[in-house]
Coordinates of all heavy atoms in Angstrom, one line a residue:
M1 N 42.1 -10.0 45.9 CA 41.4 -9.4 44.8 C 41.9 -9.5 43.6 O 43.1 -10.1 43.4 CB 41.2 -7.9 45.2 CG 40.6 -7.5 46.5 SD 38.9 -6.9 46.6 CE 38.5 -5.8 45.5
L2 N 41.2 -9.1 42.6 CA 41.7 -9.3 41.2 C 42.7 -8.2 40.8 O 42.7 -7.0 41.3 CB 40.5 -9.0 40.2 CG 39.4 -10.0 40.3 CD1 38.3 -9.6 39.4 CD2 39.9 -11.4 39.9
K3 N 43.6 -8.7 40.1 CA 44.7 -7.8 39.7 C 44.4 -7.3 38.3 O 44.4 -8.1 37.3 CB 46.2 -8.4 39.7 CG 46.5 -8.8 41.0 CD 47.9 -9.4 41.1 CE 48.3 -9.8 42.5 NZ 49.6 -10.4 42.5
V4 N 44.1 -6.0 38.1 CA 43.8 -5.4 36.8 C 44.8 -4.3 36.5 O 45.1 -3.5 37.4 CB 42.3 -4.9 37.0 CG1 41.9 -4.2 35.5 CG2 41.3 -5.9 37.3
K5 N 45.2 -4.3 35.3 CA 46.1 -3.4 34.8 C 45.3 -2.1 34.5 O 44.2 -2.2 34.0 CB 46.8 -3.8 33.6 CG 48.0 -4.7 33.8 CD 48.7 -4.9 32.5 CE 50.0 -5.7 32.7 NZ 50.7 -5.9 31.4
K6 N 46.0 -0.9 34.9 CA 45.3 0.3 34.5 C 45.6 0.5 32.9 O 46.6 0.2 32.4 CB 46.1 1.4 35.2 CG 45.3 2.1 36.2 CD 46.1 3.3 36.7 CE 45.2 4.2 37.6 NZ 45.9 5.3 38.0
M7 N 44.5 1.1 32.3 CA 44.6 1.4 30.8 C 45.5 2.6 30.7 O 45.6 3.5 31.4 CB 43.2 1.7 30.3 CG 42.3 0.5 30.2 SD 40.7 1.0 29.4 CE 41.3 1.4 27.8
S8 N 46.4 2.5 29.6 CA 47.2 3.6 29.3 C 46.3 4.8 28.7 O 45.2 4.6 28.3 CB 48.3 3.2 28.3 OG 47.6 2.9 27.0
K9 N 46.9 5.9 28.8 CA 46.2 7.1 28.4 C 46.0 7.1 26.9 O 45.0 7.6 26.4 CB 47.0 8.4 28.7 CG 47.1 8.7 30.2 CD 47.8 10.0 30.6 CE 47.7 10.2 32.0 NZ 48.4 11.4 32.5
S10 N 46.8 6.5 26.1 CA 46.7 6.5 24.7 C 45.5 5.6 24.2 O 44.7 5.8 23.3 CB 48.0 6.0 24.0 OG 48.4 4.8 24.4
A11 N 45.4 4.4 25.0 CA 44.2 3.5 24.8 C 43.0 4.1 25.1 O 41.9 3.9 24.3 CB 44.5 2.2 25.5
M12 N 42.9 4.9 26.2 CA 41.8 5.6 26.6 C 41.3 6.6 25.6 O 40.1 6.8 25.2 CB 41.8 6.2 28.0 CG 41.9 5.2 29.0 SD 42.1 5.9 30.7 CE 40.6 6.8 30.9
A13 N 42.3 7.4 25.0 CA 42.0 8.4 24.0 C 41.6 7.8 22.6 O 40.6 8.3 22.1 CB 43.3 9.2 23.7
V14 N 42.0 6.6 22.3 CA 41.7 6.0 21.1 C 40.2 5.5 21.2 O 39.4 5.6 20.4 CB 42.7 4.9 20.7 CG1 42.0 4.0 19.7 CG2 44.0 5.4 20.3
S15 N 39.9 4.9 22.3 CA 38.6 4.3 22.5 C 37.6 5.5 22.6 O 36.5 5.4 22.0 CB 38.3 3.6 23.9 OG 39.5 3.3 24.5
F16 N 37.9 6.6 23.2 CA 37.1 7.7 23.3 C 36.8 8.4 21.8 O 35.7 8.7 21.5 CB 37.7 8.9 24.2 CG 36.8 10.1 24.4 CD1 35.6 10.1 25.1 CD2 37.1 11.4 23.7 CE1 34.9 11.2 25.3 CE2 36.4 12.5 23.9 CZ 35.2 12.4 24.6
V17 N 37.9 8.4 21.1 CA 37.6 9.0 19.7 C 36.8 8.0 18.9 O 36.0 8.5 18.1 CB 39.1 9.2 19.0 CG1 39.0 9.5 17.5 CG2 39.8 10.3 19.7
A18 N 37.0 6.6 19.1 CA 36.2 5.7 18.4 C 34.8 5.8 18.6 O 33.8 5.7 17.8 CB 36.7 4.3 18.6
V19 N 34.4 6.0 19.9 CA 33.0 6.2 20.4 C 32.5 7.4 19.8 O 31.3 7.4 19.2 CB 32.9 6.2 21.9 CG1 31.6 6.7 22.3 CG2 33.2 4.9 22.4
L20 N 33.2 8.5 19.7 CA 32.7 9.8 19.1 C 32.5 9.6 17.5 O 31.5 10.2 17.0 CB 33.7 10.9 19.4 CG 33.7 11.5 20.8 CD1 34.8 12.6 20.9 CD2 32.3 12.1 21.2
V21 N 33.4 8.9 16.9 CA 33.3 8.7 15.4 C 32.0 7.9 15.1 O 31.2 8.2 14.3 CB 34.6 8.1 14.9 CG1 34.3 7.6 13.5 CG2 35.7 9.1 14.9
L22 N 31.9 6.8 15.8 CA 30.7 6.0 15.6 C 29.4 6.6 15.9 O 28.4 6.5 15.2 CB 30.8 4.7 16.5 CG 31.9 3.7 16.1 CD1 32.0 2.5 17.0 CD2 31.7 3.2 14.6
G23 N 29.4 7.4 17.0 CA 28.2 8.2 17.3 C 27.8 9.3 16.2 O 26.7 9.4 15.9
S24 N 28.8 9.9 15.8 CA 28.6 11.0 14.7 C 28.2 10.3 13.5 O 27.3 10.8 12.7 CB 29.8 11.8 14.4 OG 30.9 11.0 14.0
L25 N 28.7 9.1 13.2 CA 28.2 8.4 12.0 C 26.7 8.0 12.1 O 25.9 8.1 11.1 CB 29.0 7.1 11.6 CG 30.4 7.4 11.1 CD1 31.2 6.0 11.0 CD2 30.3 7.9 9.7
G26 N 26.4 7.6 13.3 CA 24.9 7.3 13.5 C 24.1 8.4 13.4 O 23.0 8.4 12.7
V27 N 24.4 9.5 13.9 CA 23.6 10.8 13.9 C 23.5 11.3 12.4 O 22.4 11.6 11.9 CB 24.1 11.9 14.8 CG1 23.5 13.2 14.5 CG2 23.9 11.5 16.2
G28 N 24.7 11.2 11.7 CA 24.7 11.6 10.3 C 23.8 10.7 9.4 O 23.1 11.1 8.4
G29 N 23.8 9.4 9.7 CA 22.9 8.5 8.9 C 21.4 8.8 9.2 O 20.7 8.7 8.3
V30 N 21.2 9.1 10.5 CA 19.7 9.4 10.7 C 19.2 10.7 10.0 O 18.2 10.8 9.4 CB 19.5 9.5 12.2 CG1 18.2 10.2 12.6 CG2 19.7 8.2 13.0
I31 N 20.1 11.7 10.0 CA 19.8 13.0 9.2 C 19.7 12.7 7.8 O 18.7 13.2 7.1 CB 20.9 14.0 9.6 CG1 20.8 14.5 11.1 CG2 20.7 15.2 8.6 CD1 22.0 15.3 11.5
F32 N 20.6 11.9 7.2 CA 20.5 11.6 5.9 C 19.2 10.9 5.4 O 18.6 11.1 4.5 CB 21.7 10.8 5.4 CG 21.7 10.4 4.0 CD1 22.0 11.3 3.0 CD2 21.3 9.0 3.6 CE1 22.0 10.9 1.6 CE2 21.3 8.7 2.3 CZ 21.6 9.7 1.2
A33 N 18.9 9.9 6.3 CA 17.6 9.1 6.0 C 16.4 9.9 6.2 O 15.5 9.7 5.5 CB 17.6 7.8 6.9
Q34 N 16.4 10.8 7.1 CA 15.2 11.6 7.4 C 14.9 12.6 6.2 O 13.8 12.8 5.9 CB 15.5 12.5 8.7 CG 14.2 13.4 9.1 CD 14.5 14.1 10.4 OE1 15.7 14.3 10.7 NE2 13.5 14.7 10.9
Q35 N 16.0 13.0 5.5 CA 15.7 13.9 4.4 C 15.0 13.2 3.2 O 14.3 13.8 2.4 CB 17.0 14.4 3.8 CG 17.7 15.3 4.8 CD 19.1 15.7 4.3 OE1 19.6 15.3 3.3 NE2 19.8 16.7 5.0
Y36 N 15.1 11.8 3.1 CA 14.6 11.2 1.9 C 13.3 10.3 2.4 O 12.9 9.4 1.6 CB 15.6 10.3 1.3 CG 16.8 11.2 0.8 CD1 17.9 11.3 1.4 CD2 16.5 11.8 -0.4 CE1 19.0 12.1 0.7 CE2 17.5 12.6 -1.0 CZ 18.7 12.7 -0.4 OH 19.7 13.5 -0.9
T37 N 12.8 10.5 3.6 CA 11.7 9.7 4.0 C 10.4 10.6 3.7 O 10.4 11.7 4.2 CB 11.8 9.5 5.5 OG1 13.0 8.9 5.8 CG2 10.6 8.6 6.0
P38 N 9.4 10.1 3.0 CA 8.3 10.9 2.7 C 7.4 11.0 4.0 O 7.3 10.1 4.8 CB 7.5 10.0 1.6 CG 7.9 8.7 1.9 CD 9.3 8.8 2.4
S39 N 6.8 12.2 4.1 CA 5.8 12.5 5.2 C 4.5 11.7 4.9 O 4.1 11.6 3.8 CB 5.6 13.9 5.4 OG 6.9 14.5 5.7
I40 N 3.8 11.3 5.9 CA 2.6 10.6 5.8 C 1.5 11.4 5.2 O 0.7 11.2 4.4 CB 2.2 9.9 7.1 CG1 3.2 8.8 7.4 CG2 0.8 9.3 6.9 CD1 3.0 8.2 8.8
G41 N 1.4 12.7 5.8 CA 0.3 13.6 5.4 C 0.4 14.3 3.9 O -0.5 14.8 3.5
Q42 N 1.6 14.1 3.3 CA 1.7 14.8 2.1 C 1.4 13.9 0.9 O 1.2 14.5 -0.2 CB 3.2 15.2 1.9 CG 3.7 16.2 2.9 CD 5.2 16.5 2.7 OE1 5.9 15.9 2.0 NE2 5.6 17.6 3.5
E43 N 1.1 12.8 1.0 CA 0.8 11.9 -0.2 C -0.8 12.1 -0.5 O -1.6 12.2 0.5 CB 1.1 10.4 0.2 CG 2.5 10.1 0.3 CD 2.7 8.7 0.7 OE1 1.8 7.9 0.6 OE2 3.9 8.4 0.9
E44 N -1.1 12.0 -1.7 CA -2.5 12.1 -2.0 C -3.2 10.7 -2.0 O -2.4 9.8 -2.3 CB -2.6 12.7 -3.5 CG -2.3 14.1 -3.6 CD -2.5 14.7 -5.0 OE1 -3.2 14.0 -5.8 OE2 -1.8 15.6 -5.3
N45 N -4.3 10.6 -1.6 CA -5.0 9.4 -1.6 C -5.4 9.0 -3.0 O -5.9 9.8 -3.7 CB -6.3 9.5 -0.7 CG -6.0 9.6 0.8 OD1 -4.9 9.2 1.2 ND2 -6.9 10.1 1.5
V46 N -5.0 7.8 -3.3 CA -5.4 7.2 -4.6 C -6.5 6.4 -4.6 O -6.5 5.3 -3.8 CB -4.1 6.6 -5.2 CG1 -4.4 6.0 -6.7 CG2 -2.9 7.5 -5.3
V47 N -7.6 6.5 -5.4 CA -8.7 5.7 -5.3 C -8.8 5.0 -6.6 O -8.7 5.6 -7.7 CB -10.0 6.5 -5.0 CG1 -11.2 5.6 -5.0 CG2 -9.9 7.2 -3.7
T48 N -9.0 3.7 -6.5 CA -9.1 2.9 -7.8 C -10.6 2.5 -7.9 O -11.2 2.0 -6.9 CB -8.3 1.6 -7.7 OG1 -6.9 2.0 -7.5 CG2 -8.4 0.9 -9.0
I49 N -11.2 2.8 -9.1 CA -12.5 2.6 -9.3 C -12.7 1.5 -10.3 O -12.1 1.5 -11.4 CB -13.3 3.9 -9.8 CG1 -13.2 5.0 -8.7 CG2 -14.7 3.5 -10.1 CD1 -13.7 6.2 -9.2
L50 N -13.5 0.5 -10.0 CA -13.8 -0.6 -10.9 C -14.7 -0.1 -12.0 O -15.9 0.4 -11.7 CB -14.5 -1.8 -10.2 CG -14.9 -2.9 -11.1 CD1 -13.8 -3.6 -11.8 CD2 -15.6 -4.0 -10.2
D51 N -14.3 -0.1 -13.2 CA -15.1 0.3 -14.3 C -15.8 -0.9 -14.9 O -15.2 -1.7 -15.7 CB -14.3 1.1 -15.4 CG -15.1 1.6 -16.5 OD1 -16.3 1.7 -16.4 OD2 -14.5 1.9 -17.6
A52 N -17.0 -1.0 -14.7 CA -17.9 -2.2 -15.2 C -18.7 -1.7 -16.4 O -19.7 -2.4 -16.7 CB -18.7 -2.8 -14.1
S53 N -18.4 -0.7 -17.0 CA -19.2 -0.2 -18.1 C -19.0 -0.9 -19.4 O -19.8 -0.8 -20.3 CB -19.0 1.3 -18.3 OG -17.7 1.6 -18.7
S54 N -17.9 -1.6 -19.6 CA -17.7 -2.2 -20.9 C -18.1 -3.8 -20.8 O -18.0 -4.3 -19.7 CB -16.2 -2.1 -21.4 OG -15.4 -2.8 -20.4
E55 N -18.4 -4.3 -21.9 CA -18.9 -5.7 -21.9 C -17.6 -6.6 -22.0 O -17.5 -7.7 -21.5 CB -19.7 -6.0 -23.2 CG -21.1 -5.3 -23.1 CD -21.9 -5.9 -22.0 OE1 -21.8 -7.2 -21.9 OE2 -22.8 -5.2 -21.5
E56 N -16.5 -6.0 -22.4 CA -15.3 -6.8 -22.6 C -14.4 -6.8 -21.3 O -14.6 -5.9 -20.6 CB -14.3 -6.3 -23.7 CG -15.1 -6.3 -25.1 CD -14.2 -5.8 -26.1 OE1 -13.0 -5.4 -25.8 OE2 -14.7 -5.6 -27.3
P57 N -13.6 -7.9 -21.0 CA -12.8 -7.8 -19.8 C -11.8 -6.6 -19.9 O -11.4 -6.3 -21.1 CB -12.1 -9.1 -19.9 CG -12.8 -10.0 -20.7 CD -13.6 -9.2 -21.7
I58 N -11.5 -6.0 -18.9 CA -10.6 -4.8 -18.7 C -9.2 -5.3 -18.4 O -9.0 -6.2 -17.5 CB -11.1 -3.9 -17.8 CG1 -12.5 -3.5 -18.2 CG2 -10.2 -2.6 -17.7 CD1 -13.3 -2.6 -17.1
E59 N -8.2 -4.9 -19.0 CA -6.8 -5.2 -18.7 C -6.4 -4.5 -17.4 O -6.5 -3.3 -17.5 CB -5.9 -4.9 -19.9 CG -4.4 -5.4 -19.7 CD -3.6 -5.2 -20.8 OE1 -3.9 -4.7 -21.9 OE2 -2.5 -5.6 -20.7
A60 N -5.9 -5.2 -16.5 CA -5.4 -4.7 -15.2 C -3.9 -4.9 -15.2 O -3.3 -5.6 -16.1 CB -6.1 -5.2 -14.1
D61 N -3.3 -4.6 -14.0 CA -1.8 -4.8 -13.9 C -1.5 -6.2 -14.0 O -0.5 -6.6 -14.6 CB -1.4 -4.2 -12.5 CG -1.5 -2.7 -12.6 OD1 -1.5 -2.1 -13.5 OD2 -1.5 -2.2 -11.5
G62 N -2.3 -7.1 -13.4 CA -2.0 -8.6 -13.3 C -2.6 -9.3 -14.5 O -2.5 -10.5 -14.5
G63 N -3.2 -8.7 -15.4 CA -3.8 -9.4 -16.6 C -5.2 -8.9 -16.7 O -5.5 -7.7 -16.5
F64 N -6.1 -9.7 -17.3 CA -7.5 -9.3 -17.6 C -8.5 -9.6 -16.3 O -8.2 -10.7 -15.7 CB -8.0 -10.0 -18.8 CG -7.4 -9.4 -20.1 CD1 -6.3 -10.0 -20.6 CD2 -8.0 -8.3 -20.7 CE1 -5.8 -9.4 -21.7 CE2 -7.5 -7.8 -21.9 CZ -6.3 -8.4 -22.4
Y65 N -9.4 -8.9 -16.1 CA -10.5 -9.2 -15.2 C -11.8 -8.7 -15.6 O -11.9 -7.9 -16.5 CB -10.1 -8.6 -13.8 CG -10.3 -7.1 -13.7 CD1 -11.5 -6.5 -13.4 CD2 -9.3 -6.2 -14.0 CE1 -11.7 -5.2 -13.3 CE2 -9.4 -4.9 -14.0 CZ -10.7 -4.3 -13.6 OH -10.9 -2.9 -13.5
E66 N -12.9 -9.3 -15.1 CA -14.1 -8.9 -15.3 C -15.0 -9.1 -14.1 O -14.6 -9.8 -13.2 CB -14.8 -9.7 -16.5 CG -14.8 -11.2 -16.3 CD -15.4 -12.0 -17.5 OE1 -16.4 -11.6 -18.0 OE2 -14.7 -12.9 -17.9
L67 N -16.2 -8.4 -14.1 CA -17.0 -8.5 -12.9 C -17.7 -9.9 -12.8 O -18.3 -10.3 -13.8 CB -18.1 -7.4 -13.0 CG -18.9 -7.2 -11.8 CD1 -18.1 -6.7 -10.6 CD2 -20.0 -6.1 -12.1
I68 N -17.5 -10.6 -11.7 CA -18.1 -11.9 -11.5 C -19.1 -12.1 -10.4 O -19.9 -12.9 -10.4 CB -17.0 -13.0 -11.4 CG1 -16.1 -12.7 -10.2 CG2 -16.2 -13.2 -12.6 CD1 -15.2 -13.9 -9.7
S69 N -19.0 -11.1 -9.5 CA -20.0 -11.2 -8.4 C -20.2 -9.7 -7.9 O -19.4 -9.0 -7.9 CB -19.5 -12.0 -7.3 OG -18.4 -11.5 -6.7
V70 N -21.4 -9.5 -7.4 CA -21.8 -8.2 -6.8 C -22.7 -8.5 -5.6 O -23.3 -9.5 -5.4 CB -22.5 -7.2 -7.8 CG1 -21.7 -6.9 -8.9 CG2 -23.8 -7.9 -8.4
K71 N -22.9 -7.5 -4.8 CA -23.9 -7.4 -3.7 C -25.0 -6.5 -4.2 O -24.7 -5.5 -4.9 CB -23.3 -6.9 -2.4 CG -22.2 -7.8 -1.9 CD -21.7 -7.3 -0.6 CE -20.6 -8.1 0.0 NZ -20.1 -7.7 1.3
L72 N -26.1 -6.7 -3.7 CA -27.3 -5.8 -4.1 C -27.0 -4.4 -3.6 O -27.6 -3.4 -4.2 CB -28.6 -6.4 -3.7 CG -29.0 -7.6 -4.4 CD1 -30.4 -8.1 -3.8 CD2 -29.1 -7.5 -5.9
S73 N -26.3 -4.3 -2.5 CA -25.9 -2.9 -2.0 C -25.0 -2.2 -2.9 O -24.7 -1.0 -2.5 CB -25.6 -3.0 -0.5 OG -24.3 -3.7 -0.5
D74 N -24.4 -2.8 -3.8 CA -23.4 -2.1 -4.7 C -24.0 -1.3 -5.7 O -23.3 -0.7 -6.6 CB -22.5 -3.2 -5.4 CG -21.6 -3.9 -4.4 OD1 -21.4 -3.4 -3.3 OD2 -21.1 -5.0 -4.7
E75 N -25.3 -1.2 -5.8 CA -26.0 -0.4 -6.9 C -25.5 1.0 -7.0 O -25.5 1.5 -8.1 CB -27.4 -0.5 -6.6 CG -28.4 0.2 -7.6 CD -29.8 0.1 -7.4 OE1 -30.2 -0.5 -6.4 OE2 -30.5 0.6 -8.2
T76 N -25.2 1.6 -5.9 CA -24.8 3.0 -5.9 C -23.3 3.2 -6.5 O -23.0 4.3 -6.8 CB -24.8 3.6 -4.4 OG1 -24.0 2.8 -3.6 CG2 -26.1 3.6 -3.9
M77 N -22.6 2.1 -6.6 CA -21.3 2.2 -7.1 C -21.2 2.2 -8.6 O -20.2 2.5 -9.3 CB -20.5 1.1 -6.6 CG -20.2 1.0 -5.2 SD -19.5 -0.5 -4.6 CE -18.0 -0.7 -5.5
F78 N -22.4 2.0 -9.4 CA -22.4 1.8 -10.8 C -23.4 2.9 -11.3 O -24.4 3.2 -10.7 CB -22.8 0.5 -11.2 CG -21.9 -0.6 -10.6 CD1 -22.2 -1.3 -9.6 CD2 -20.8 -1.0 -11.4 CE1 -21.3 -2.3 -9.1 CE2 -19.8 -1.9 -11.0 CZ -20.1 -2.7 -9.9
P79 N -23.1 3.4 -12.6 CA -24.1 4.2 -13.2 C -25.4 3.3 -13.4 O -25.4 2.1 -13.6 CB -23.5 4.6 -14.5 CG -22.0 4.4 -14.3 CD -21.9 3.3 -13.3
K80 N -26.5 3.9 -13.7 CA -27.9 3.3 -13.9 C -27.8 2.3 -15.1 O -28.2 1.2 -14.9 CB -29.0 4.3 -14.1 CG -30.4 3.7 -14.2 CD -31.4 4.7 -14.2 CE -32.7 4.0 -14.1 NZ -33.9 4.9 -14.0
E81 N -27.2 2.7 -16.2 CA -27.2 1.8 -17.3 C -26.4 0.5 -17.0 O -26.7 -0.6 -17.4 CB -26.6 2.4 -18.6 CG -27.2 3.8 -18.9 CD -26.5 4.9 -18.1 OE1 -25.3 4.9 -17.9 OE2 -27.3 5.8 -17.6
D82 N -25.2 0.8 -16.4 CA -24.4 -0.4 -16.0 C -25.1 -1.4 -15.1 O -24.9 -2.6 -15.1 CB -23.0 0.1 -15.5 CG -22.2 0.8 -16.4 OD1 -22.5 0.6 -17.7 OD2 -21.2 1.5 -16.1
W83 N -25.8 -0.8 -14.1 CA -26.4 -1.6 -13.1 C -27.6 -2.5 -13.8 O -27.7 -3.6 -13.4 CB -27.0 -0.7 -11.9 CG -27.6 -1.6 -10.9 CD1 -28.9 -1.7 -10.5 CD2 -26.9 -2.5 -10.0 NE1 -29.1 -2.6 -9.5 CE2 -27.8 -3.1 -9.1 CE3 -25.5 -2.7 -9.8 CZ2 -27.5 -4.0 -8.1 CZ3 -25.2 -3.6 -8.8 CH2 -26.2 -4.2 -7.9
E84 N -28.2 -1.9 -14.7 CA -29.2 -2.6 -15.5 C -28.6 -3.8 -16.2 O -29.1 -4.9 -16.4 CB -30.0 -1.7 -16.4 CG -31.0 -0.7 -15.7 CD -31.6 0.3 -16.6 OE1 -31.2 0.3 -17.8 OE2 -32.3 1.1 -16.0
R85 N -27.4 -3.5 -16.8 CA -26.7 -4.5 -17.5 C -26.2 -5.7 -16.5 O -26.3 -6.8 -16.9 CB -25.5 -3.9 -18.2 CG -24.8 -4.8 -19.2 CD -23.7 -4.1 -20.0 NE -24.1 -2.8 -20.6 CZ -23.5 -1.8 -20.5 NH1 -22.3 -1.6 -19.8 NH2 -24.0 -0.7 -21.1
I86 N -25.9 -5.2 -15.4 CA -25.5 -6.2 -14.4 C -26.6 -7.1 -14.0 O -26.5 -8.3 -13.8 CB -24.8 -5.5 -13.1 CG1 -23.4 -4.9 -13.6 CG2 -24.7 -6.4 -12.0 CD1 -22.8 -3.9 -12.4
L87 N -27.8 -6.4 -13.8 CA -28.9 -7.2 -13.4 C -29.4 -8.2 -14.5 O -29.7 -9.4 -14.2 CB -30.1 -6.2 -13.1 CG -30.0 -5.4 -11.8 CD1 -31.2 -4.4 -11.8 CD2 -29.9 -6.2 -10.6
R88 N -29.2 -7.9 -15.7 CA -29.4 -8.7 -16.8 C -28.4 -10.0 -16.7 O -28.9 -11.2 -17.0 CB -29.3 -8.1 -18.1 CG -30.5 -7.2 -18.5 CD -30.6 -6.9 -20.0 NE -29.3 -6.2 -20.4 CZ -29.3 -4.9 -20.4 NH1 -30.3 -4.2 -19.9 NH2 -28.1 -4.2 -20.8
K89 N -27.2 -9.7 -16.4 CA -26.2 -10.8 -16.4 C -26.5 -11.6 -15.1 O -26.2 -12.9 -15.2 CB -24.8 -10.1 -16.3 CG -24.3 -9.6 -17.6 CD -22.9 -9.2 -17.5 CE -22.4 -8.8 -18.9 NZ -20.9 -8.4 -18.8
I90 N -27.1 -11.1 -14.1 CA -27.4 -11.9 -12.9 C -28.5 -12.8 -13.3 O -28.5 -14.1 -13.0 CB -27.8 -11.0 -11.8 CG1 -26.6 -10.3 -11.2 CG2 -28.5 -11.8 -10.6 CD1 -27.0 -9.2 -10.0
E91 N -29.5 -12.4 -14.0 CA -30.6 -13.2 -14.5 C -30.1 -14.3 -15.4 O -30.6 -15.5 -15.4 CB -31.7 -12.4 -15.2 CG -32.4 -11.4 -14.3 CD -33.3 -10.6 -15.0 OE1 -33.4 -10.6 -16.4 OE2 -34.1 -9.8 -14.4
N92 N -29.1 -14.1 -16.3 CA -28.6 -15.0 -17.2 C -27.6 -16.0 -16.5 O -27.1 -17.0 -17.1 CB -27.8 -14.3 -18.3 CG -28.8 -13.6 -19.2 OD1 -30.0 -13.9 -19.2 ND2 -28.2 -12.7 -20.0
G93 N -27.3 -15.7 -15.3 CA -26.3 -16.5 -14.5 C -24.8 -16.2 -14.7 O -23.9 -16.9 -14.3
E94 N -24.5 -15.1 -15.4 CA -23.1 -14.7 -15.8 C -22.5 -14.1 -14.5 O -21.2 -14.1 -14.5 CB -23.1 -13.8 -16.9 CG -23.7 -14.4 -18.2 CD -23.7 -13.4 -19.3 OE1 -22.9 -12.5 -19.3 OE2 -24.6 -13.5 -20.2
I95 N -23.2 -13.4 -13.6 CA -22.7 -12.8 -12.5 C -23.4 -13.4 -11.2 O -24.6 -13.6 -11.3 CB -23.0 -11.2 -12.5 CG1 -22.1 -10.7 -13.8 CG2 -22.5 -10.6 -11.2 CD1 -22.3 -9.2 -13.8
I96 N -22.6 -13.6 -10.2 CA -23.2 -14.1 -9.0 C -23.5 -13.1 -8.0 O -22.8 -12.1 -7.9 CB -22.1 -15.0 -8.3 CG1 -21.7 -16.2 -9.3 CG2 -22.6 -15.6 -7.0 CD1 -20.5 -17.0 -8.9
V97 N -24.6 -13.2 -7.3 CA -25.0 -12.3 -6.2 C -24.5 -12.8 -4.8 O -24.9 -13.9 -4.5 CB -26.5 -12.1 -6.1 CG1 -26.9 -11.2 -5.0 CG2 -27.1 -11.6 -7.5
E98 N -23.7 -11.9 -4.3 CA -23.2 -12.3 -2.9 C -24.1 -11.9 -1.8 O -24.9 -11.0 -2.0 CB -21.9 -11.6 -2.7 CG -20.7 -12.0 -3.6 CD -19.4 -11.2 -3.3 OE1 -19.4 -10.5 -2.3 OE2 -18.5 -11.4 -4.0
D99 N -24.0 -12.6 -0.6 CA -24.8 -12.2 0.5 C -24.2 -11.0 1.1 O -23.1 -10.6 1.0 CB -24.6 -13.4 1.6 CG -25.3 -14.6 1.2 OD1 -26.1 -14.6 0.3 OD2 -24.8 -15.7 1.6
E100 N -25.2 -10.2 1.7 CA -24.8 -8.9 2.3 C -23.9 -9.1 3.5 O -23.9 -9.9 4.3 CB -26.1 -8.1 2.7 CG -26.9 -7.8 1.5 CD -26.1 -6.8 0.6 OE1 -25.6 -5.8 1.1 OE2 -26.3 -7.0 -0.7

């Protein structure tokens, strides 16, 4: 059979203490991280609305943008005056009508 030396008591004590220290560090890290993690249900829903009421392009985070295409079912998303302006732009070819 294999000849294996018995571990000394001091080596066993050091390994046991090392395992306890590493385990407590792991548990402490989890508790610390849990305190700074936001809960899912506490955040408010943020809704971004496309404002197509102005004739000029609107400045967004990434630069300027303007309305270039719509679906006919998008009529409820715009006020009546803006939708009429969009329909005029569709007739002039400035805005593209997408398929449903």
Side-chain angles (χ1 to χ4, degrees):
M1 300 258 315
L2 296 174
K3 294 183 181 182
V4 179
K5 278 188 176 181
K6 246 186 168 182
M7 285 183 69
S8 66
K9 288 183 181 181
S10 61
M12 288 178 66
V14 168
S15 351
F16 181 72
V17 169
V19 167
L20 286 178
V21 167
L22 291 176
S24 63
L25 283 175
V27 170
V30 168
I31 291 171
F32 178 78
Q34 184 181 15
Q35 292 174 353
Y36 297 102
T37 304
S39 296
I40 295 174
Q42 293 179 352
E43 295 179 8
E44 293 183 18
N45 291 335
V46 179
V47 178
T48 305
I49 299 173
L50 175 63
D51 183 19
S53 61
S54 65
E55 292 292 328
E56 299 176 7
I58 303 167
E59 186 173 0
D61 293 338
F64 286 92
Y65 70 90
E66 61 183 311
L67 188 63
I68 58 171
S69 66
V70 293
K71 295 180 181 179
L72 293 179
S73 60
D74 292 343
E75 181 178 359
T76 57
M77 296 173 52
F78 299 97
K80 186 174 182 173
E81 309 85 40
D82 292 342
W83 186 250
E84 290 171 359
R85 192 175 306 133
I86 290 171
L87 290 176
R88 283 195 301 269
K89 286 186 176 186
I90 290 172
E91 290 173 359
N92 293 338
E94 298 174 32
I95 295 180
I96 301 168
V97 177
E98 294 181 6
D99 293 333
E100 295 295 319

